[in-house]
Amino acid sequence: MPRRRTTDALTLRGRAFVAVGVALVVCGILLGFRDITRAGVLVAGLPVLVLVLSRTQHVAMTTRRDVAPAVVPVDEPGDVQLFITNPGTRATPIMMAEEQLDYALGDRPRFVIPRMGAGVSHQLHYRVRCSVRGRHQLGPLGLRIKDPFELTIRHAIVPGVGELIVLPKVVPLLATRIIGGLGSEGSVPHMIALHGEDDVSVREYRDGDDLRRIHWPATARTGDLMVRQEERPATRRAVLLLDNRAQCEGEPRPAASFEWAVTAAASILALVIPSGVAARLALDGRVLGDATRDALRLDDALIELAVADTSDSPTLVPSIEAAAEAAAGGALCVAVVCPLPDHEADLLSRVRAPGSAGIALVQELPGLSAEAAGATAARLRDRGWGTVVVPVGMGVAEAWSSVETAAAGVR
């Protein structure tokens, strides 16, 4: 069982007893009254005796927390059931309890825990609400135990914590023309090396084609080698790159800037994933999503964004390379970035495959000139991306509404 941290101290009443007792002892000695001296020793020694006895008593407690729901949207409440058990062989005294919470979760709830016999459990309930995304800790439970005379007080921490995940804010966004273009299943050429498949179309033979795909009737009819070209439905795909650098161009990145980027990423994913788009999220040098299905569930994406944090890495290259691998073969590319060095902007521009669309939301930072974001946006725009420069203070919905205009340069 984990060790419990306890501290014992005298209360104000206990310290008063000690002060009065010492005064009586001094007066008794100076005046020569032994009875006063004995009374002083009794009065001063009582709190000390109770303090010593309290340290020999061990209160064994265990806690368990059930959070429903364990994952909540920002500003939504979560209910916590706190189960306290006395696994010891002795009854516990009446105790005051205070749940230790992150300040973002509001006031710390306080309870009075009644006497609990051996093996008895007691259930408590409280509600939390948070306006800050992230993984928040619930607990541990703090106890205050006083003796019957209220001369001493014991502070104990019962180990055991719970967890509440608060999702980032999702701003409703309008589907732009470029997103609407993903609204229906397309089709791409796909060759199947199986005999007996019904061919949809044929084309001329090219070096490297499998000879088993030769379409003999068409070859006989045209006099040239022709091969079968099958078609299959194309999966609509999107790759979102989130810039989580703690510093951009050598300047510290404000926390508000990263929170804006997380909100933007969450809102964009909430727009494209429900429409049936297989989305991937490139973050912190890795790609999030099911590699077998090339898709990311919205719930999983929001949880990843809820616990996302800034990185000390000065470069975005690992994330760009991960995004490029995920976007290979064609996908809608969306990047939420801060100003980038020219070589990283060039590398990012190549994430978008020819014929695919690319959108970049480039944030301005207070510590950098507006030209830095403009230069990154212009460099991506020259390479076929639709770019939007996001000034400080612009809302996510307002920035996204500019995507329609920016997308005109993508075609």
Side-chain angles (χ1 to χ4, degrees):
M1 184 177 297
R3 182 180 179 182
R4 290 156 183 78
R5 301 186 299 274
T6 60
T7 57
D8 299 272
L10 295 174
T11 63
L12 179 60
R13 179 182 296 180
R15 292 193 296 269
F17 266 64
V18 172
V20 171
V22 171
L24 289 176
V25 170
V26 173
C27 291
I29 293 175
L30 293 178
L31 298 177
F33 293 103
R34 292 185 178 180
D35 292 340
I36 296 179
T37 302
R38 295 191 186 99
V41 171
L42 178 62
V43 172
L46 180 61
V48 177
L49 177 62
V50 173
L51 184 64
V52 172
L53 292 177
S54 66
R55 291 188 174 181
T56 62
Q57 298 177 349
H58 300 282
V59 178
M61 305 288 292
T62 61
T63 60
R64 178 174 62 86
R65 294 165 181 81
D66 290 340
V67 187
V71 179
V72 298
V74 67
D75 287 328
E76 292 295 326
D79 292 310
V80 183
Q81 300 293 335
L82 174 60
F83 299 91
I84 305 173
T85 304
N86 173 24
T89 58
R90 298 181 181 179
T92 64
I94 298 175
M95 297 174 288
M96 296 291 296
E98 181 180 79
E99 182 80 314
Q100 311 295 312
L101 298 177
D102 293 342
Y103 289 107
L105 296 176
D107 296 334
R108 296 180 174 181
R110 294 182 173 88
F111 314 97
V112 176
I113 302 178
R115 291 177 58 88
M116 298 170 56
V120 174
S121 296
H122 186 69
Q123 180 178 346
L124 300 171
H125 169 267
Y126 64 91
R127 175 171 289 187
V128 293
R129 185 190 301 267
C130 185
S131 59
V132 180
R133 69 166 182 92
R135 178 182 282 114
H136 299 279
Q137 180 176 292
L138 306 174
L141 184 68
L143 299 178
R144 290 189 302 162
I145 308 170
K146 293 183 179 180
D147 64 86
F149 303 102
E150 295 190 4
L151 299 177
T152 62
I153 184 171
R154 167 179 287 190
H155 295 275
I157 299 296
V158 182
V161 297
E163 182 179 88
L164 177 71
I165 296 180
V166 179
L167 301 178
K169 182 179 180 180
V170 175
V171 178
L173 302 178
L174 296 176
T176 63
R177 181 164 53 89
I178 191 170
I179 300 298
L182 294 173
S184 59
E185 294 288 349
S187 60
V188 295
H190 179 66
M191 299 189 183
I192 303 176
L194 294 175
H195 293 291
E197 293 289 336
D198 294 333
D199 53 298
V200 177
S201 62
V202 294
R203 61 171 175 81
E204 293 183 355
Y205 174 84
R206 299 171 187 167
D207 290 339
D209 286 341
D210 193 335
L211 294 178
R212 291 175 297 177
R213 298 193 183 100
I214 294 178
H215 190 270
W216 295 108
T219 300
R221 186 174 60 253
T222 61
D224 296 323
L225 281 178
M226 306 294 289
V227 295
R228 294 190 307 271
Q229 178 173 280
E230 304 289 344
E231 293 186 351
R232 63 172 174 84
T235 303
R236 298 166 295 159
R237 300 196 302 148
V239 177
L240 190 147
L241 170 66
L242 177 61
D243 185 352
N244 69 327
R245 292 173 297 161
Q247 287 192 344
C248 298
E249 298 287 346
E251 293 292 334
R253 182 179 185 179
S257 167
F258 182 61
E259 293 304 318
W260 189 98
V262 170
T263 300
S267 303
I268 294 170
L269 290 175
L271 173 65
V272 301
I273 292 179
S275 65
V277 176
R280 307 290 296 277
L281 174 63
L283 172 64
D284 204 17
R286 58 196 177 100
V287 174
L288 307 175
D290 189 334
T292 60
R293 296 178 304 172
D294 198 31
L296 179 66
R297 297 176 59 247
L298 180 58
D299 292 344
D300 296 335
L302 293 180
I303 291 176
E304 290 289 348
L305 291 173
V307 300
D309 201 358
T310 53
S311 170
D312 292 332
S313 175
T315 177
L316 195 61
V317 171
S319 295
I320 294 175
E321 292 176 345
E325 182 178 354
L332 168 66
C333 299
V334 181
V336 183
V337 297
C338 292
L340 296 169
D342 290 346
H343 70 281
E344 292 189 17
D346 293 340
L347 186 63
L348 174 60
S349 68
R350 291 194 288 271
V351 171
R352 182 186 67 87
S356 300
I359 291 294
L361 304 180
V362 186
Q363 295 179 264
E364 291 184 357
L365 296 183
L368 297 175
S369 64
E371 288 76 12
T376 297
R379 207 168 187 89
L380 292 173
R381 190 183 306 115
D382 292 341
R383 289 158 176 79
W385 285 64
T387 59
V388 176
V389 176
V390 182
V392 177
M394 176 179 282
V396 173
E398 183 181 358
W400 187 251
S401 66
S402 304
V403 169
E404 185 72 26
T405 302
V410 176
R411 300 299 181 184

